[in-house]
Amino acid sequence: MRKFLLSVVLLAALAGLAFGQPAGWNDAAPPFKIMDNMYYVGSKELASFLFVTPQGDILMNSGYEATVPVIKASVEKLGFKMSDVKIFIAGHAHPDHVEGDALMKELTGAQVVVGRVDADKTREFRPGGKEHPIDRLVDENDTVSLGGTTLTAHLMPGHTRGCLAWSTTLKEDGKSYYTFVECSLNGQFLQVLDNYPGMIDDFRATYKKARTFPVEVWVSSHASFFNMAAKYEKLQKRGPGDPNPFIDPEGYKAHVDQYEKSFEAAVAGGGRGGAGGGRGRGAGPAPGR
Ligand SMILES: [Zn+2]
């Protein structure tokens, strides 16, 4: 009976991962400049970023297919064009980050960049039977460059086997900032992740590696991971001389600590979720994201 119940719970969790679009995640968020040529163009929870260059733009993360129109509206609200997106960098191989990739390719005609290790999983997302586009595969330390902007790939496995973070440099008021687009360090809902051999070791190595980057400005695949709403509010109220709230090295370190802790709690609890073992939505980031 217990085994049966566990199976039911597991099936429900998997169904949620495959089809669930948690309420509010696709709601529109105001698009804005984070710093320099980097803009937030995602929804309220699913983060997408636009790097604008004189030779065309780089876009990261499509979200669900239903997120794509939200991103398009944000890009246009900022005065940019989808047709100027020349390179599209896919997010990690979960539906809330890559389901919209085919539609994004259709809208932009951009070169689609996918991490090699996540590529097979990424290809499995075929909304409406559409083939997942992949034009270039990238590995650890590979770079994507356009019009003076260079992004460097960093393999951060665990949340997915090929989770890729990206680093670049942004400038503001004559200073340069090491900028980190985090992948996902979320291991608190272990049971809905791909339990591939070595996943636990990968997670632990990734938390260590996460602390080796000289992060100053940082964001991640979910707005809630980097407290976007609060930082956006601060940015709106920013006066002359006030620091840019996205410069947040301490917040980054605290984020790594927090997610390492919740991951270890999940491991200690037999992989059945974080504190309390519950997997209900509303208690922090949703499962598997
Ligand atoms: Zn995910």
Side-chain angles (χ1 to χ4, degrees):
M1 185 61 186
R2 188 173 151 76
K3 211 170 171 189
F4 170 75
L5 276 176
L6 273 176
S7 307
V8 170
V9 168
L10 190 66
L11 276 175
L14 285 171
L17 186 65
F19 307 112
Q21 296 191 16
W25 279 19
N26 279 330
D27 289 359
F32 63 97
K33 181 192 272 212
I34 293 173
M35 183 186 278
D36 201 349
N37 66 336
M38 183 184 187
Y39 296 82
Y40 186 84
V41 294
S43 67
K44 221 170 193 172
E45 175 61 8
L46 300 173
S48 295
F49 307 101
L50 186 72
F51 296 86
V52 175
T53 92
Q55 282 161 36
D57 305 336
I58 303 171
L59 181 63
M60 288 175 100
N61 295 348
S62 68
Y64 290 111
E65 208 165 47
T67 320
V68 174
V70 178
I71 297 169
K72 180 178 183 285
S74 290
V75 168
E76 289 167 356
K77 202 169 169 187
L78 290 167
F80 304 120
K81 288 190 209 131
M82 293 298 275
S83 58
D84 284 340
V85 175
K86 301 300 174 203
I87 300 175
F88 170 72
I89 300 178
H92 66 263
H94 282 158
D96 49 340
H97 305 292
V98 299
E99 193 196 81
D101 288 4
L103 181 56
M104 199 55 95
K105 169 86 182 181
E106 250 174 65
L107 287 179
T108 60
Q111 177 196 50
V112 177
V113 177
V114 175
R116 187 183 308 276
V117 183
D118 253 3
D120 286 345
K121 276 274 155 203
T122 303
R123 279 191 196 95
E124 290 174 13
F125 295 101
R126 301 164 57 93
K130 287 191 279 291
E131 199 140 311
H132 190 284
I134 298 181
D135 299 308
R136 183 187 166 197
L137 291 171
V138 288
D139 297 295
E140 171 80 353
N141 289 326
D142 278 353
T143 57
V144 169
S145 292
L146 187 70
T149 289
T150 295
L151 294 150
T152 304
H154 306 280
L155 196 53
M156 307 288 280
H159 183 77
T160 60
R161 197 172 199 160
C163 222
L164 278 188
W166 295 86
S167 64
T168 190
T169 303
L170 298 179
K171 291 195 179 90
E172 191 174 82
D173 299 331
K175 283 187 199 147
S176 293
Y177 296 94
Y178 186 97
T179 300
F180 201 58
V181 183
E182 212 258 303
C183 183
S184 173
L185 298 173
N186 193 359
Q188 64 184 311
F189 300 104
L190 278 179
Q191 84 282 16
V192 293
L193 299 178
D194 293 333
N195 193 1
Y196 65 87
M199 181 182 75
I200 302 281
D201 290 343
D202 273 0
F203 260 116
R204 287 182 175 142
T206 283
Y207 295 120
K208 277 209 182 87
K209 185 174 177 178
R211 296 187 175 95
T212 64
F213 303 101
V215 174
E216 295 176 301
V217 171
W218 71 287
V219 291
S220 189
S221 51
H222 283 258
S224 58
F225 289 173
F226 58 99
N227 300 320
M228 188 185 76
K231 284 175 180 163
Y232 172 75
E233 283 301 312
K234 269 193 190 161
L235 198 62
Q236 295 311 104
K237 292 184 196 137
R238 187 183 179 196
D242 289 347
N244 184 319
F246 284 88
I247 304 166
D248 181 26
E250 293 311 314
Y252 174 74
K253 283 178 205 141
H255 172 73
V256 177
D257 289 348
Q258 184 196 340
Y259 278 81
E260 183 179 43
K261 234 184 195 169
S262 60
F263 160 77
E264 290 297 350
V267 173
R272 286 198 290 282
R279 58 165 302 280
R281 295 198 168 116
R289 310 305 168 172

